[in-house]
Amino acid sequence: KNPPWSRGRGRAIIDPSSEQKGAVRLMASACFIIGAGPFYGLPVAPGPEDVVLAADGGYRHCQTAGITPDLLLGDFDSLGSQRPDNIPTHTFPVEKDDTDTGHAIRHALDQGYRTLILVCALGGRLDHTLANIQDAASAAAEGANVTILDEREEITFLTGGTLRLPRRKGWGLSVFSLTDRCTGVCLRGVKYRLEDAVLTNRVPLGVSNEYAEGSDCITISTQKGALVVVETVPDGPILS
């Protein structure tokens, strides 16, 4: 069952800068990547034209959600003997330089998908959460539109151009620099505006913002650097 707060994919609109080569708007089809992190339900249901990749233990979450992934990827240290034999599989060695979710992201990009939706990629192990955020940011730098969804957050990445976020009643947001510096940062339509600011990855200047009174849209832009935008719902039950 989809949570009542979900507006579905495509809520965030990125207008790429002229310097952001290869950047594209959201495609009609998307690649859903289901990780092995905590499962709270699917915030957005895959459409008939979408593809679903399960990263190792993410297959169990697919079973719980009642969906069959198009491809199963991983070293299968989580699934082990529970790996199904009726789903196409890509197997990776246990000793590798990325996570199973990271390999799934790379596979999606290599297949030409530029709209990636990651679920069950946050929480659980902190090292894997950080790795997933880095891999998602790397994909965004290659021109992909990447969103990470979980029970309470929606995370979007911006590596140039302008990000437009239609208003969500009661939601707040924070903006962080993933690179050493993000320059020319502008936040408009928010309570605490920024104009041509510099954000660094050492000082959380963009934490805990909210929609300005009367604002129906937030615009976030940066001239240089990689931003991560975290939208958060207030405390309280979400999924029903």
Side-chain angles (χ1 to χ4, degrees), residues 4 8-9 18 26 30 34 38 45 58 66 95 98 114 130-131 144 173 177 186 191 193 199 203 207 222 228 239:
R9 64 162 171 264
S18 59
L26 289 174
I34 314 299
E95 296 183 0
D98 206 344
R114 290 298 180 266
L130 293 174
L173 82 158
S177 175
C186 296
K191 184 175 181 179
R193 289 173 56 105
L199 296 185
V203 179
V207 72
T222 180
V228 56
L239 299 179

Side-chain angles (χ1 to χ4, degrees), residues 9-10 12-14 20 24-27 30-33 101 105-106 108-109 113-119 121 132-149 154-159 163 165 227-229 231:
R9 64 162 171 264
I13 302 172
I14 295 179
Q20 195 180 14
V24 296
R25 288 178 180 272
L26 289 174
M27 296 169 58
C31 180
F32 281 73
I33 297 174
T101 300
I105 290 173
R106 173 46 52 193
L109 295 176
Y113 285 93
R114 290 298 180 266
T115 299
L116 310 184
I117 299 174
L118 278 60
V119 183
N132 292 338
I133 290 174
Q134 285 190 329
D135 283 327
S138 178
E142 294 185 37
N145 195 321
V146 187
T147 304
I148 303 179
L149 303 174
E154 180 167 330
I155 300 178
T156 312
F157 301 85
L158 183 66
T159 58
L163 176 67
L165 298 172
L227 293 174
V228 56
V229 180
E231 296 180 86

Side-chain angles (χ1 to χ4, degrees), residues 46-61:
E49 301 300 322
D50 298 330
V51 65
V52 178
L53 308 182
D56 202 342
Y59 174 68
R60 296 193 185 99
H61 299 329

